[in-house]
Amino acid sequence: MSTTHAVGSLVRARGREWVVLPGTTPEFLLLQPLGGGSADVAGVFPDEGIEAATFPTPTVDDLGDSTSTALLRTALRVGFTASAGPFRSLAGLAVSPRSYQYVPLLMALRQDVVRLLIADDVGVGKTIEAGLIAAELLAQGSAQRMAVLCSPALAEQWQRELSAKFGIEAVLLLTSTVKSLERGLMMNESLFDRHPYVIVSTDFIKSDRRRHEFLLRCPELVIVDEAHNSVAGSGLGQKGRHQRYELLRDLAADQKRHLILATATPHSGDEEAFSNLVGLLHPDLGTADLSSPKGRELLARHFVQRRRGDIRRYLDEDTPFPSDRLTLDVPYTLSPAYRDLFDDVLAYARDQVRQDAGSAKGRVRWWSVLALLRTLASSPRAAEATLRTRAANSEATTVAEADSLGRAAVLDESDEETLEGMDTTPGALIETDADSATDAVATTKATERRRLLDFAKRAGQLHGPDQDRKLGSLTQQVKKLLANGDNPIVFCRFIDTAHYVAEHLADTLGTKKAPVTVSSVTGELPPAERERRVAELTATDGMHVLVATDCLSEGVNLQHGFSAVVHYDLCWNPTRHEQREGRVDRYLQRKDVVRALTLYGEDNGIDGIVLDVLIRRHRAIAKATGVAVPVPGDGQGLIDALAEGLLLRGESSRDQLMLDIDLNAKAAELEQAWQSAAEKEKASRARFAQNLIRPEEVAQQVEEVRAALGSHGHLEQFITASLSSLGSTITRTDDGFNAVTATLPLGARTSLPPGLRDPLPFHSEPPADPGHAVIARTDPAVQALARYVLESALDSTVAPHDRPARRAGVMITDAVRTRTTLLLVRLRFHLTLPTPSGLRQKVAEDACVLAFEGSPDAAAWLVDDEAERLVDAQPAGNVPPPVAQQWMSGVLDGLDDLQPVLAQVAEHRAQRLLDAHLRARAGANKDAERSRRGLTVTPQQPVDILSVQLLMPARGAQ
């Protein structure tokens, strides 16, 4: 007959103590080693000799020095894999969230099924906020699988963030990885069945087959990054967005699926797109009157949006952002030789667009000559490459196909799918000689090709600042920025231009005494290699310059190494400028003021107009309204009008061009629509400002979390104290310290993960290079050290000099006026948590410090704050070992008298935890009520006494 062991109870099997986990049955037990993690869970049959166990109390043989209690408590906390409080996941995170970042998590806990739109400003930390919610849902068991939908350019960054900060090991599902992943599948098995955590790129999910498979096997939790790119509005030409919106709408139809949307631009003045977006969160929101109190109340439960000003000072924390962004527009003019080539190319372009007008071939010509003009304005090298390359849309058979391919290659569209690969230099060759049906046509095409190759040869002769004044102007501006202490990023539109610029700057900048390192990053490199190259550049001594294409303009954090942006090529979409500048103008930027420079051609026919009508008006509207919104229609109507005037009407004079196509009227209409969109966005931010979660609620939760888990400073102190006591030498560095591991005891050294460097570098913040460690609870080296400290303290057979922490100690100190005993106790709780699929059982541990004055049989207990204060007590004298043993024996002999009080402490702590869980899920609506239904917290008796510290007064009173 099998014996039933309660969930959370302590048993002994296989020579060690275990905690019984949920899922245990009389016939089969799920066990986790005491102090172990989820990776150590084992299944054990009752006939293996399982017996109930109790945790042994300390003995006089465990006597150690004054640091024992603090070291043991931190070691114990590091070993906790889940918090007993409402935020179970925080014990396993390698990131310390800012106080304001708890707000979306609190909102999520008040929903039975999480549907949330996180719309905080750029650089505030939406990835951290979404990751916190995901980690919590997984820790609570409310979700077992997760998918992140994002652009291909951001997929690897999401993978690294989830792994390094949240311990979530996600697999990349990209067009480039899917074939190798599918080779390992069994029959009828899906990628979403095999891999519980996936990062799915939007290009992977394009096909009908992939979308259908995703819908059938989709995880319970979905995060959508840059969600505004997946919602169609009232504009035209949004086929990709319509497809993604249909997918999200089908996903949201499952009312049990958690859905987290993240975007910094949820509204952008498009009411239809905003309604479609929020309609994914709740069926009623798509048609609700959001100007009414009822509509706003419903939206407030699912929508959080904060601007930088809202969180610069939040509770007790300052979140530093740059105070200003200084902009400067730098003009340049073409040299005579460059001007001659530009005029000849423009004449060729005008001749081309008049051929085959209105046909697919005519549209191919149109986009080919626009590509040529854009690359010629960019750099001689880009123009040379374009003149020798076949146009991407040359095989198009319809006008729509030609326009679709042409726009993707030539324009600066805001759709995320166009970002990856958009820096490829477009082609201008439309047909080869082999395409011609007759000799006469072939001769004509050959003549045209020779003409283009002649243009290419002339472009090749314009390299260098003497003929390319734009390059000379850039050199001057970069030198000024470097002299001002700013490391700049130079953004270019095309790969060839980026290499051209980087080569010149590398040859021109810096001296032996003041070196300047220049590096280029383009879409030729895979995302991981891009970040590696950036990291190498910022790690070099002296100043540095990064030359990049727009492959780095979105979602990449560059504020640590750079404080200025130079737009070498003017974008035809001001949103792209905002995205570029957002790489440095964000949280943790060390400079109080960042700089943004824009180079533009005064005499190349289009730059000056784009700058005036799009870029400068974008800045003015953003400054006046306080919000930055995309230009209506991406400004495409204006660009089309400019191109038409330049190519069809033969105008190259800026003023005449504006007059001839009535551009002033078009610009005025655009500005009016733009201003209206910005005002709507501003009004929506004020109307839908987050007020569901009050700051005092956040403050209480944050305080409890920090009290339970300890601070970053306590953890670093634990690591250095433990390693030093074990014989390591600690050397401070700029972002942490190095620790020699060769001198550690064999047991401690072999407990560390393999492959670590010696000395072992510890860094204050993730990520860390291979062989390095991070000062974080979840770092494998830190966990191994904490496990060794705890296990050696509990093992009396370990040599005294190899045990940095002990379970007993006696100290003479000025911190007390009478005999005081400090106890470190471990409590275990059995939690019942509500989820959309029913109640789930969890086991959690907690640790606390208790203190009493007098003898155990007449204990006068101190309040928690006084007990915590005594943890930092310092010795004021020596205690002879025989005296220490005698004093400690008197305390240890009376520990049984404390059990009734310890049982009450466990019950009281359980009630406090239950209250904290209920507060986190507070709310009068039905969703919040469901999130609390069935929630219980039960203590597991008896309480474990880990250590006993006797504090004796240095003078007088006993």
Side-chain angles (χ1 to χ4, degrees), residues 411-427:
L411 301 184
D412 303 315
E413 296 183 312
S414 58
D415 195 310
E416 60 179 8
E417 289 189 16
T418 65
L419 189 62
E420 196 70 12
M422 71 171 292
D423 55 1
T424 303
T425 304

mmCIF file of all heavy atoms in Angstrom, residues 411-427:
data_model
loop_
_atom_site.group_PDB
_atom_site.id
_atom_site.type_symbol
_atom_site.label_atom_id
_atom_site.label_comp_id
_atom_site.label_asym_id
_atom_site.label_seq_id
_atom_site.Cartn_x
_atom_site.Cartn_y
_atom_site.Cartn_z
ATOM 1 N N LEU A 411 11.470 53.209 -53.180
ATOM 2 C CA LEU A 411 10.914 54.119 -52.175
ATOM 3 C C LEU A 411 11.279 53.695 -50.755
ATOM 4 O O LEU A 411 11.848 52.625 -50.531
ATOM 5 C CB LEU A 411 9.392 54.191 -52.335
ATOM 6 C CG LEU A 411 8.895 54.664 -53.706
ATOM 7 C CD1 LEU A 411 7.386 54.783 -53.709
ATOM 8 C CD2 LEU A 411 9.533 55.996 -54.086
ATOM 9 N N ASP A 412 10.929 54.544 -49.785
ATOM 10 C CA ASP A 412 11.208 54.286 -48.371
ATOM 11 C C ASP A 412 9.893 53.987 -47.665
ATOM 12 O O ASP A 412 9.397 54.779 -46.867
ATOM 13 C CB ASP A 412 11.881 55.497 -47.721
ATOM 14 C CG ASP A 412 13.154 55.882 -48.445
ATOM 15 O OD1 ASP A 412 13.936 54.982 -48.768
ATOM 16 O OD2 ASP A 412 13.357 57.090 -48.690
ATOM 17 N N GLU A 413 9.317 52.829 -47.986
ATOM 18 C CA GLU A 413 8.028 52.495 -47.421
ATOM 19 C C GLU A 413 8.162 52.153 -45.945
ATOM 20 O O GLU A 413 9.201 51.668 -45.494
ATOM 21 C CB GLU A 413 7.398 51.330 -48.185
ATOM 22 C CG GLU A 413 7.102 51.686 -49.642
ATOM 23 C CD GLU A 413 6.405 50.559 -50.381
ATOM 24 O OE1 GLU A 413 6.870 49.414 -50.279
ATOM 25 O OE2 GLU A 413 5.400 50.832 -51.048
ATOM 26 N N SER A 414 7.085 52.389 -45.189
ATOM 27 C CA SER A 414 7.141 52.188 -43.737
ATOM 28 C C SER A 414 6.784 50.779 -43.322
ATOM 29 O O SER A 414 6.929 50.423 -42.158
ATOM 30 C CB SER A 414 6.184 53.164 -43.034
ATOM 31 O OG SER A 414 4.858 52.987 -43.497
ATOM 32 N N ASP A 415 6.323 49.944 -44.235
ATOM 33 C CA ASP A 415 5.976 48.570 -43.888
ATOM 34 C C ASP A 415 7.233 47.826 -43.464
ATOM 35 O O ASP A 415 8.264 47.862 -44.139
ATOM 36 C CB ASP A 415 5.347 47.867 -45.096
ATOM 37 C CG ASP A 415 4.647 46.578 -44.708
ATOM 38 O OD1 ASP A 415 5.274 45.760 -44.011
ATOM 39 O OD2 ASP A 415 3.474 46.411 -45.087
ATOM 40 N N GLU A 416 7.146 47.110 -42.338
ATOM 41 C CA GLU A 416 8.310 46.445 -41.774
ATOM 42 C C GLU A 416 8.914 45.412 -42.714
ATOM 43 O O GLU A 416 10.120 45.158 -42.673
ATOM 44 C CB GLU A 416 7.934 45.749 -40.462
ATOM 45 C CG GLU A 416 6.868 44.693 -40.620
ATOM 46 C CD GLU A 416 6.534 43.995 -39.326
ATOM 47 O OE1 GLU A 416 7.006 44.410 -38.273
ATOM 48 O OE2 GLU A 416 5.771 43.021 -39.378
ATOM 49 N N GLU A 417 8.112 44.807 -43.594
ATOM 50 C CA GLU A 417 8.641 43.763 -44.457
ATOM 51 C C GLU A 417 9.581 44.307 -45.518
ATOM 52 O O GLU A 417 10.370 43.572 -46.089
ATOM 53 C CB GLU A 417 7.500 42.990 -45.126
ATOM 54 C CG GLU A 417 6.733 42.102 -44.167
ATOM 55 C CD GLU A 417 5.772 41.185 -44.892
ATOM 56 O OE1 GLU A 417 5.909 41.028 -46.114
ATOM 57 O OE2 GLU A 417 4.886 40.631 -44.235
ATOM 58 N N THR A 418 9.500 45.594 -45.807
ATOM 59 C CA THR A 418 10.385 46.172 -46.814
ATOM 60 C C THR A 418 11.730 46.557 -46.226
ATOM 61 O O THR A 418 12.652 46.880 -46.973
ATOM 62 C CB THR A 418 9.745 47.429 -47.439
ATOM 63 O OG1 THR A 418 9.615 48.444 -46.425
ATOM 64 C CG2 THR A 418 8.385 47.114 -48.014
ATOM 65 N N LEU A 419 11.868 46.508 -44.909
ATOM 66 C CA LEU A 419 13.096 46.968 -44.274
ATOM 67 C C LEU A 419 14.267 46.053 -44.586
ATOM 68 O O LEU A 419 15.365 46.506 -44.907
ATOM 69 C CB LEU A 419 12.879 47.061 -42.753
ATOM 70 C CG LEU A 419 13.994 47.737 -41.946
ATOM 71 C CD1 LEU A 419 14.157 49.180 -42.392
ATOM 72 C CD2 LEU A 419 13.660 47.684 -40.461
ATOM 73 N N GLU A 420 14.045 44.749 -44.475
ATOM 74 C CA GLU A 420 15.112 43.794 -44.736
ATOM 75 C C GLU A 420 15.313 43.662 -46.244
ATOM 76 O O GLU A 420 14.403 43.266 -46.973
ATOM 77 C CB GLU A 420 14.759 42.441 -44.117
ATOM 78 C CG GLU A 420 15.942 41.505 -43.993
ATOM 79 C CD GLU A 420 16.935 41.959 -42.944
ATOM 80 O OE1 GLU A 420 16.619 42.864 -42.150
ATOM 81 O OE2 GLU A 420 18.048 41.411 -42.918
ATOM 82 N N GLY A 421 16.490 44.006 -46.720
ATOM 83 C CA GLY A 421 16.798 43.923 -48.137
ATOM 84 C C GLY A 421 16.574 45.202 -48.898
ATOM 85 O O GLY A 421 16.893 45.277 -50.090
ATOM 86 N N MET A 422 16.045 46.254 -48.227
ATOM 87 C CA MET A 422 15.759 47.486 -48.951
ATOM 88 C C MET A 422 17.023 48.265 -49.292
ATOM 89 O O MET A 422 16.978 49.171 -50.121
ATOM 90 C CB MET A 422 14.823 48.379 -48.138
ATOM 91 C CG MET A 422 15.437 49.006 -46.907
ATOM 92 S SD MET A 422 14.364 50.231 -46.149
ATOM 93 C CE MET A 422 14.366 51.512 -47.399
ATOM 94 N N ASP A 423 18.162 47.930 -48.672
ATOM 95 C CA ASP A 423 19.384 48.685 -48.949
ATOM 96 C C ASP A 423 20.128 48.155 -50.168
ATOM 97 O O ASP A 423 21.167 48.698 -50.549
ATOM 98 C CB ASP A 423 20.307 48.703 -47.731
ATOM 99 C CG ASP A 423 20.635 47.312 -47.209
ATOM 100 O OD1 ASP A 423 20.158 46.329 -47.797
ATOM 101 O OD2 ASP A 423 21.365 47.208 -46.208
ATOM 102 N N THR A 424 19.618 47.107 -50.795
ATOM 103 C CA THR A 424 20.241 46.589 -52.014
ATOM 104 C C THR A 424 20.160 47.635 -53.121
ATOM 105 O O THR A 424 19.107 48.228 -53.353
ATOM 106 C CB THR A 424 19.540 45.307 -52.483
ATOM 107 O OG1 THR A 424 19.590 44.349 -51.424
ATOM 108 C CG2 THR A 424 20.201 44.734 -53.716
ATOM 109 N N THR A 425 21.256 47.862 -53.775
ATOM 110 C CA THR A 425 21.273 48.864 -54.845
ATOM 111 C C THR A 425 20.405 48.391 -56.004
ATOM 112 O O THR A 425 20.613 47.295 -56.540
ATOM 113 C CB THR A 425 22.706 49.108 -55.331
ATOM 114 O OG1 THR A 425 23.522 49.496 -54.218
ATOM 115 C CG2 THR A 425 22.735 50.205 -56.390
ATOM 116 N N PRO A 426 19.396 49.183 -56.401
ATOM 117 C CA PRO A 426 18.484 48.743 -57.475
ATOM 118 C C PRO A 426 19.173 48.804 -58.835
ATOM 119 O O PRO A 426 20.180 49.474 -59.020
ATOM 120 C CB PRO A 426 17.335 49.754 -57.388
ATOM 121 C CG PRO A 426 17.966 50.989 -56.837
ATOM 122 C CD PRO A 426 19.035 50.517 -55.876
ATOM 123 N N GLY A 427 18.587 48.099 -59.797
ATOM 124 C CA GLY A 427 19.142 48.097 -61.148
ATOM 125 C C GLY A 427 18.407 49.056 -62.066
ATOM 126 O O GLY A 427 17.266 49.442 -61.827
#
